[in-house]
Amino acid sequence: MPEQLADTVDPANWTCPAPLRDQPVVVMGHGGGGALSAELMEQVFVPAYGNATLAALADSAVLELGGARLAFSTDSYVVRPLFFPGGSLGDLAVNGTVNDLAMSGARPAYLSAAFVLEEGVELSVVGRIARAMGAAAEAAGVTIATGDTKVVESGHGDGVYVTTAGVGLVPDGVDIRPQRARPGDAVIVSGPIGLHGVAIMSVREGLEFGVEIASDTAPLADLVAAMLAVTPDIHVLRDPTRGGLAASLNEIARASGTGVRLQERAVPVPDAVANACGFLGLDPLYVANEGRLVAFVPPSSADEVLATMRAHPQGAGATVIGECVAEHPGMVVVATGLGGTRVVDLPLGEQLPRIC
Amino acid sequence: MKYIDEFNDPGLARRLLDEIRATATRPWALMEVCGGQTHSIIRHGIDQLLPEQVELIHGPGCPVCVTPLDVIDQALEIASRPGVIFCSFGDMLRVPGTDRDLFRVKGEGGDVRVVYSPLDALELARRHPDREVVFFAIGFETTAPANAMAVHQARRLGLNNFSLLVSHVRVPPAIEAIMTAPACRVQGFLAAGHVCSVMGMAEYPELAARFRVPMVVTGFEPLDILEGIRLAVRQLERGEHRVENAYPRAVREEGNPAAVRMIEEVFEVTDRNWRGIGPIPLSGWRLTDAFRAYDAEHRFDVTGIRTEEPAECRSGEVLQGLIKPTECEAFGTTCTPRTPLGATMVSSEGACAAYYLYRRMNAATPQAERAAREEMNPVA
């Protein structure tokens, strides 16, 4: 069969042939954290802004400023519903940016918060979100130091949008970025996956799965600091939010030119998530998380890092799910429970429930 | 979860594979009819675990794949109209029509919504009496009862702003079409368990006898599929061609009579075009005259939309098992999941999309492939 392949295509040139102009309008998938999001970034924003820092496409940018190394990140939050089991828009807006900073190894310090409010939204709702942000900031040890508020006419927004930006200091000797993944690295996930995405879906779609599924939203900077105390030589950290574990691992594989090999049975998928995904025809590997990280750790320190993670409340469910390999560069492959293999590709846009 | 885990047990899977290996003395080509089975086969890597003699051919049972282009274009036209809420199962949104898909229509301002059941669409119709709510009623015998129920309910509730764009297809006529194709290589079928759980098994003995092919009603978990393959291979080796039920926990001989009654009340059998294959006589359902008021095709007057497949797309041959996806000139070049020419590259169940992913991995490790081949056949 490989002979047929060689006859029909050139594997070395196996990239998506479609330029962005084939999509003349923004579609939902452009915000899904998958291939369409990456195209938007690479074909619209990077050429327009043109600098090496941005082109690194990490969760946060690491900048040299006044002799210090500063991590800097921004993110907008447009979740519906505004309040859900396990958290709220406010928690996400703080934890999301805190975690993006932490994924560079930074200690997050200050955040900004910008609100876009839709005319007609109750002030009590805005107050609840603000209080949730205050509490989340306190828990994460960051200060919300500045902000902004705009109001749009009724019908021109979805209630409340929040944008947070944040800065933090990167300790000396720490160099964490997707390009640093190396064959042999242990791939560790900090706990069960899929909880946030399924929690949101269950309330948004009014689906009940027998047990209440709560979002995993949580700040991860303290966990990262504990991991760095074991070894500053952690190669990659990523919080698998939109696009889930599959998107994060694909981005790392592509950025580093390595492959990732997962053991399907090692990936911690809670029963409730597995059942919900089975019902909806979704793959838990693509479902969003808001309080998990995936780490690429040199094999020499993997055991010690894992033990440290497990001793931390945010990493109690940490487990090794696979390894970084030299084979199939740029690709994520899963060894199935039965002993077969399959490719886990970058999702195109948002994951869609299957019909059968 | 324990229940599902039992159907994933690697020890049992190994035993079934050993039995299949010991049973198969010569090459056999089996077709799994249902896209859900194809998905499971690829997801668990079952095709790679089978002995070389047993080849799986992916059948036309992906409802997303076989919905004809002109119906997609009708959907796009209706969804673009002001005042319409167009509801669909999620994976139809990315299927390309002639020049766009439902995602594009949504991006351009159309009110396109993903629902999990036609009854969700019915609820939207109830909540929005000033809007026309249309549900894209595609699929095989599995989705037909719920769609029939939705129309039935709409009439009972007096909801006149609800309609179905119907493109239902039926499995048995497709099996007949596959078996009568001149270049057919299929020697046995894994029949779709979910279809039989609705319709029962009555239509299959005649097909098995006429075409002298074993037909094993098969489920969707990995062990279900391996058991289906084991029974089909055993029949082939013995020269038998019977209908066997390897999915008794879900399928009864008579199916689900209440669901069948619901279908028969609302739908009637009609000829249907299959995307990539063409017309198959009596292979679909349409709303009966009594329910014509709920037929979106007539309500929105889109019956005149008739379109042609791009000549470059060979998905029809793929769907019939006549060629492998990799034998298509467009595969992986002009046709990818990002830019699909045909629906077999769109749906995660589509054979082309599945091959695209799997072959990519092999393409990335030519040395590993070569080593494996040399090990199997050192002389070559």
Side-chain angles (χ1 to χ4, degrees):
Chain A
M1 284 191 227
E3 296 90 330
Q4 292 168 358
L5 178 73
D7 291 344
T8 51
V9 293
D10 173 10
N13 192 27
W14 199 309
T15 54
C16 174
L20 192 66
R21 63 175 178 271
D22 283 358
Q23 285 282 357
V25 297
V26 172
V27 295
M28 288 306 289
H30 282 118
L36 288 177
S37 299
E39 278 177 21
L40 188 65
M41 192 69 201
E42 287 159 14
Q43 299 181 24
V44 175
F45 296 124
V46 171
Y49 306 156
N51 64 71
T53 311
L54 182 69
L57 298 176
D59 280 348
S60 60
V62 177
L63 316 165
E64 300 270 351
L65 196 67
R69 281 201 307 152
L70 210 61
F72 181 35
S73 181
T74 186
D75 212 336
S76 295
Y77 299 85
V78 294
V79 68
R80 208 163 31 90
L82 299 173
F83 305 94
F84 46 83
S88 69
L89 174 69
D91 299 290
L92 290 186
V94 170
N95 291 336
T97 295
V98 162
N99 292 347
D100 282 346
L101 295 170
M103 295 309 117
S104 301
R107 264 292 188 187
Y110 295 103
L111 300 189
S112 71
F115 281 74
V116 177
L117 304 174
E118 185 183 5
E119 182 185 30
V121 169
E122 290 176 23
L123 278 178
S124 63
V125 169
V126 182
R128 263 181 87 189
I129 291 167
R131 284 195 298 281
M133 290 177 71
E138 194 180 338
V142 295
T143 304
I144 300 176
T146 182
D148 179 49
T149 309
K150 296 282 186 293
V151 178
V152 294
E153 283 174 21
S154 178
H156 288 249
D158 200 9
V160 182
Y161 300 146
V162 177
T163 299
T164 50
V167 291
L169 282 174
V170 182
D172 286 340
V174 169
D175 181 16
I176 294 172
R177 49 199 167 89
Q179 290 79 3
R180 288 198 70 220
R182 292 285 171 274
D185 284 355
V187 178
I188 304 175
V189 68
S190 65
I193 63 162
L195 288 164
H196 176 73
V198 170
I200 292 288
M201 227 174 304
S202 60
V203 282
R204 188 185 293 169
E205 311 294 345
L207 300 170
E208 290 178 18
F209 299 108
V211 288
E212 183 177 278
I213 300 171
S215 167
D216 54 18
T217 178
L220 297 169
D222 199 51
L223 173 65
V224 171
M227 293 163 70
L228 287 171
V230 177
T231 171
D233 191 32
I234 290 171
H235 289 163
V236 189
L237 290 172
R238 201 83 172 185
D239 59 335
T241 53
R242 288 170 311 163
L245 205 52
S248 291
L249 293 175
N250 268 285
E251 285 161 11
I252 294 165
R254 287 176 189 196
S256 60
T258 63
V260 174
R261 186 169 177 84
L262 297 182
Q263 297 298 325
E264 186 168 54
R265 289 195 168 242
V267 179
V269 181
D271 285 355
V273 171
N275 290 339
C277 286
F279 176 73
L280 294 170
L282 303 176
D283 186 336
L285 290 175
Y286 292 94
V287 176
N289 312 273
E290 287 292 343
R292 297 287 173 254
L293 63 80
V294 60
F296 282 53
V297 181
S300 54
S301 46
D303 288 345
E304 216 182 335
V305 169
L306 185 65
T308 304
M309 292 174 77
R310 286 181 174 164
H312 192 282
Q314 301 304 344
T319 184
V320 176
I321 56 171
E323 63 172 336
C324 186
V325 295
E327 295 86 48
H328 50 78
M331 244 174 255
V332 180
V333 170
V334 172
T336 71
L338 294 191
T341 50
R342 75 186 149 97
V343 175
V344 176
D345 207 7
L346 194 64
L348 189 61
E350 292 186 316
Q351 205 182 184
L352 297 168
R354 287 170 43 231
I355 182 174
C356 73
Chain B
M1 251 350 258
K2 187 171 175 295
Y3 181 71
I4 295 295
D5 277 347
E6 283 170 4
F7 292 97
N8 278 293
D9 186 309
L12 286 174
R14 220 167 296 125
R15 240 175 292 160
L16 283 169
L17 281 163
D18 286 345
E19 272 194 58
I20 293 168
R21 208 166 286 127
T23 311
T25 61
R26 51 197 173 109
W28 298 114
L30 303 177
M31 175 175 274
E32 86 276 1
V33 173
C34 173
Q37 289 166 336
T38 305
H39 184 77
S40 190
I41 286 163
I42 300 296
R43 179 174 161 72
H44 296 282
I46 290 171
D47 51 339
Q48 304 154 49
L49 298 171
L50 288 172
E52 221 175 280
Q53 293 99 312
V54 180
E55 182 191 359
L56 290 179
I57 296 174
H58 309 306
C62 165
V64 176
C65 298
V66 300
T67 301
L69 188 59
D70 44 13
V71 178
I72 305 282
D73 283 347
Q74 288 175 344
L76 296 169
E77 165 64 25
I78 294 170
S80 306
R81 295 200 187 166
V84 168
I85 300 175
F86 193 87
C87 303
S88 169
F89 293 128
D91 47 4
M92 286 305 291
L93 267 62
R94 212 177 273 144
V95 182
T98 300
D99 59 1
R100 55 192 178 151
D101 58 24
L102 283 166
F103 266 125
R104 175 85 68 83
V105 170
K106 184 167 155 64
E108 289 167 349
D111 193 348
V112 178
R113 304 192 192 185
V114 172
V115 295
Y116 298 91
S117 152
L119 298 175
D120 294 343
L122 196 66
E123 175 59 21
L124 279 171
R126 204 185 53 75
R127 288 212 314 263
H128 299 282
D130 54 328
R131 308 275 298 274
E132 281 284 341
V133 175
V134 183
F135 180 72
F136 201 174
I138 68 148
F140 286 83
E141 291 91 332
T142 43
T143 51
N147 292 342
M149 171 69 87
V151 170
H152 197 267
Q153 285 283 83
R155 187 158 74 175
R156 200 176 63 81
L157 297 170
L159 290 174
N160 295 321
N161 61 332
F162 179 78
S163 57
L164 298 182
L165 180 61
V166 179
S167 186
H168 270 300
V169 278
R170 300 168 59 234
V171 165
I175 289 178
E176 190 175 342
I178 287 161
M179 290 313 297
T180 48
C184 175
R185 298 194 300 120
V186 179
Q187 293 164 296
F189 284 94
L190 306 182
H194 287 180
V195 169
C196 295
S197 70
V198 174
M199 302 304 293
M201 294 156 55
E203 291 178 281
Y204 293 95
E206 192 266 329
L207 288 170
R210 179 147 54 110
F211 298 111
R212 305 181 63 80
V213 285
M215 307 187 91
V216 181
V217 177
T218 304
F220 297 82
E221 299 302 333
L223 291 189
D224 289 326
I225 290 167
L226 288 173
E227 173 66 359
I229 294 169
R230 185 184 75 87
L231 293 177
V233 169
R234 195 174 66 176
Q235 281 200 44
L236 285 165
E237 289 283 341
R238 291 175 176 173
E240 297 171 350
H241 40 81
R242 294 179 286 116
V243 176
E244 247 179 307
N245 184 2
Y247 197 35
R249 71 180 188 278
V251 175
R252 285 174 301 172
E253 179 72 36
E254 71 279 15
N256 180 339
V260 173
R261 267 199 309 279
M262 181 57 73
I263 292 172
E264 285 171 351
E265 184 184 333
V266 172
F267 293 124
E268 64 190 5
V269 171
T270 180
D271 299 343
R272 191 60 86 188
N273 218 5
W274 293 51
R275 185 165 199 175
I277 295 179
I280 302 180
L282 308 178
S283 67
W285 278 311
R286 66 174 172 211
L287 290 163
T288 61
D289 284 344
F291 286 90
R292 188 53 49 86
Y294 300 92
D295 188 340
E297 195 179 340
H298 293 278
R299 184 180 295 213
F300 294 91
D301 193 22
V302 290
T303 43
I305 295 180
R306 288 284 174 263
T307 37
E308 294 285 322
E309 285 286 342
E312 205 183 352
C313 180
R314 300 178 68 186
S315 62
E317 292 163 86
V318 172
L319 286 169
Q320 295 173 78
L322 301 179
I323 62 165
K324 296 277 185 201
T326 43
E327 292 170 60
C328 171
E329 297 72 24
F331 177 80
T333 53
T334 51
C335 183
T336 70
R338 172 71 178 75
T339 54
L341 285 179
T344 45
M345 188 59 100
V346 177
S347 161
S348 55
E349 272 130 65
C352 292
Y355 266 66
Y356 180 79
L357 282 179
Y358 173 49
R359 297 285 177 255
R360 277 185 64 198
M361 179 177 65
N362 287 346
T365 55
Q367 34 318 39
E369 279 298 310
R370 210 172 306 126
R373 275 207 308 281
E374 279 165 7
E375 196 176 310
M376 281 189 297
N377 186 4
V379 184

